[in-house]
Amino acid sequence: MKDYRYIPDTATLRLDTETCIGCGLCQTVCPHRIFVVADKKARIEDRDACMECGACARNCPVEAITVTPGVGCAVEIIARWVNGITGRTVMKGCC
Amino acid sequence: MPQVATRPDRHDRLGAFLTRLGPIRNHYKVVPGLYAVGTPTAEAPVLVTGNYKLSFDALRFSLTGIDAWILVVDTRGVNVWCAAGKGTFSTAEIVHSVKHTRLADFISHRRLIVPQLGATGVSASEVKKGCGFSVIYGPIKADDLPAFLKQGESAGEAMRTVTFPLKERLVLIPVELYLQLKQLALIMVIGFVISGVSPEIFSLSAAWRRGLLLFAATVIGMVCGSALVPALLPWLPGRQFWIKGLWPSLLAGTALLLSTAVPPAPVDQIALLLWIVAVSSFQAMNFTGCTPYTSPSGVEFEMRRGVPLQILLAVAATLLWLASPFLNT
Ligand code: SF4
Ligand code: SF4
């Protein structure tokens, strides 16, 4: 998204160009338009804009994309930290 | 087959209002299943959505004059995007709904239009394998559906790009504030007690006077972090949200201290300012979950920096607040 930039060099998104068959589905589903497909191969255009939603990886028919998916939500992460420390489900995340 | 209207009635409006405000946000559901909009034939498009009523309403209200089917999947009353992230709007759930509603008996084609933001939980190829329907990803916004359908079920770049304009940020603010009422009450009970600690053990008048100040400071911090930060999001300096939360609170905190008719003691002033900044920074950080561009890796990155500072500020504020009555005598 042009109006918003988040923290660079943190996204876990990776693409294995060898495996890619250029179906274009990653380009379709990505809400941040990270991929461009040209000459039957996908290319990551702007990794820093990736929000790690995982839509591309889930829809890639040949598993050429890897990303650690999740929701970018501090409340969620606090819940994970608290639950990790106490070893129980003390907190539930948001939505 | 239930047929639904494409215009809101009084109940829809009231429900939307209460949901946006906070009280019923988790219980606003529609019954999953197949619905008709207009008078759809066997060739009409099938639009898939979750059973959060606001999403369902946004969808049907965008379809004025269009004949279509709506397949409502059970997402436990959560919107498609969150549900996709949580795994309730999923391949399995769509396949189940298609079979359960015997969709194939009503429809001659084999296409499902699934919101693009649902793709996080759905694999197009597995849906095809599971129930024989091809998934076509629709636009991000329901408003774009008429154009999408007219263009032969295809979307341009703009329809596929998520945005976060002022209007969408503003509607989130009431719920953000509502969710803090419980924390606010808890903080105030504790705040009242620690405000009264004094050289004469406990002073009720101090508890009341300083407790009110602390209350005002807490509310200001919350409003800064949960209302001003969302509203001013693109313009606040810093990419990390805990940093964005510092600026409005520094300004508002200073304004509060300058505007108080009877200025609190200097130590109290510092304590209040630190507290306002800590609360605002924390709330701003919590807003990450409402935006459509923060990655979990990024949020964790910034929390490792922001949370220690917030704890430091809050502890310092508490200690100064407790110490102040003893320093001024
Ligand atoms: S994880 Fe989401 S935001 Fe990142 S590239 Fe894939 S689809 Fe785009
Ligand atoms: S979805 Fe996979 S195979 Fe298709 S273009 Fe993208 S990376 Fe290549």
Side-chain angles (χ1 to χ4, degrees):
Chain A
M1 223 180 331
K2 281 176 244 74
D3 313 349
Y4 301 96
R5 300 296 301 181
Y6 202 42
I7 306 165
D9 300 325
T10 52
T12 51
L13 181 73
R14 295 294 178 270
L15 167 69
D16 175 7
T17 319
E18 288 287 296
T19 318
C20 169
I21 54 168
C23 74
L25 209 48
C26 53
Q27 187 180 13
T28 302
V29 296
C30 177
H32 290 291
R33 321 312 293 148
I34 307 283
F35 294 96
V36 174
V37 181
D39 301 328
K40 288 270 160 202
K41 288 289 175 190
R43 189 176 73 235
I44 296 178
E45 273 278 284
D46 183 6
R47 177 180 290 127
D48 287 345
C50 171
M51 65 164 169
E52 300 178 318
C53 67
C56 52
R58 187 177 290 278
N59 279 278
C60 177
V62 291
E63 297 180 17
I65 304 171
T66 51
V67 60
T68 312
V71 271
C73 169
V75 179
E76 198 78 26
I77 293 173
I78 292 173
R80 210 173 66 217
W81 285 358
V82 170
N83 296 342
I85 291 165
T86 56
R88 286 181 298 145
T89 312
V90 188
M91 274 178 76
K92 266 177 49 197
C94 45
C95 60
Chain B
M1 183 74 46
Q3 206 195 16
V4 294
T6 56
R7 278 186 205 294
D9 62 18
R10 208 157 43 89
H11 287 109
D12 297 330
R13 290 213 174 88
L14 179 69
F17 176 74
L18 289 176
T19 314
R20 288 300 183 200
L21 210 60
I24 62 167
R25 69 175 193 115
N26 286 329
H27 311 280
Y28 204 43
K29 299 179 190 174
V30 289
V31 181
L34 192 60
Y35 294 81
V37 179
T39 45
T41 60
E43 276 90 54
V46 180
L47 309 166
V48 183
T49 188
N51 76 330
Y52 180 48
K53 187 159 186 298
L54 282 193
S55 310
F56 177 72
D57 284 355
L59 176 58
R60 66 190 170 106
F61 299 155
S62 75
L63 296 175
T64 311
I66 292 175
D67 298 320
W69 304 95
I70 299 181
L71 181 66
V72 177
V73 168
D74 188 1
T75 56
R76 329 246 143 85
V78 171
N79 71 61
V80 168
W81 187 20
C82 281
K86 295 254 164 192
T88 42
F89 187 80
S90 63
T91 303
E93 204 57 59
I94 291 182
V95 169
H96 170 82
S97 302
V98 166
K99 290 186 174 156
H100 187 75
T101 56
R102 291 184 290 116
L103 183 66
D105 297 352
F106 299 97
I107 317 287
S108 56
H109 62 79
R110 291 291 175 266
R111 296 185 322 276
L112 298 172
I113 297 172
V114 174
Q116 187 189 332
L117 286 181
T120 292
V122 177
S123 157
S125 53
E126 279 166 34
V127 170
K128 173 105 193 182
K129 243 181 264 163
C131 62
F133 277 73
S134 313
V135 167
I136 295 169
Y137 286 109
I140 286 182
K141 287 194 178 61
D143 285 348
D144 287 331
L145 268 170
F148 171 86
L149 293 173
K150 207 185 263 159
Q151 292 163 20
E153 300 181 0
S154 84
E157 283 296 301
M159 281 187 199
R160 297 230 173 272
T161 309
V162 74
T163 54
F164 201 33
L166 182 64
K167 201 179 133 217
E168 278 172 34
R169 301 198 303 273
L170 292 182
V171 297
L172 297 173
I173 292 174
V175 170
E176 283 295 291
L177 292 172
Y178 178 84
L179 289 178
Q180 279 156 53
L181 290 180
K182 233 164 65 186
Q183 273 145 288
L184 182 64
L186 184 72
I187 291 174
M188 279 348 291
V189 173
I190 301 169
F192 182 77
V193 173
I194 67 167
S195 294
V197 176
S198 73
E200 57 268 23
I201 298 174
F202 192 85
S203 153
L204 208 57
S205 75
W208 177 243
R209 185 172 43 81
R210 298 176 76 227
L212 272 182
L213 263 177
L214 194 56
F215 176 76
T218 309
V219 170
I220 287 174
M222 287 178 170
V223 169
C224 285
S226 302
L228 293 183
V229 168
L232 305 174
L233 195 66
W235 304 293
L236 291 169
R239 290 188 178 181
Q240 304 181 38
F241 281 59
W242 68 270
I243 297 177
K244 286 181 186 288
L246 302 177
W247 316 122
S249 56
L250 280 170
L251 283 181
T254 312
L256 168 79
L257 295 176
L258 294 178
S259 69
T260 325
V262 189
V267 178
D268 279 348
Q269 296 200 4
I270 299 171
L272 287 172
L273 189 60
L274 296 183
W275 177 244
I276 293 173
V277 173
V279 171
S280 172
S281 173
F282 181 71
Q283 295 304 344
M285 200 181 72
N286 285 346
F287 188 66
T288 50
C290 298
T291 73
Y293 75 99
T294 53
S295 61
S297 297
V299 175
E300 194 148 355
F301 175 95
E302 74 159 274
M303 286 175 69
R304 292 194 185 283
R305 282 148 189 84
V307 172
L309 182 92
Q310 289 152 8
I311 293 177
L312 201 73
L313 288 173
V315 170
T318 313
L319 292 179
L320 288 174
W321 194 250
L322 276 169
S324 169
F326 298 90
L327 299 174
N328 294 322
T329 45

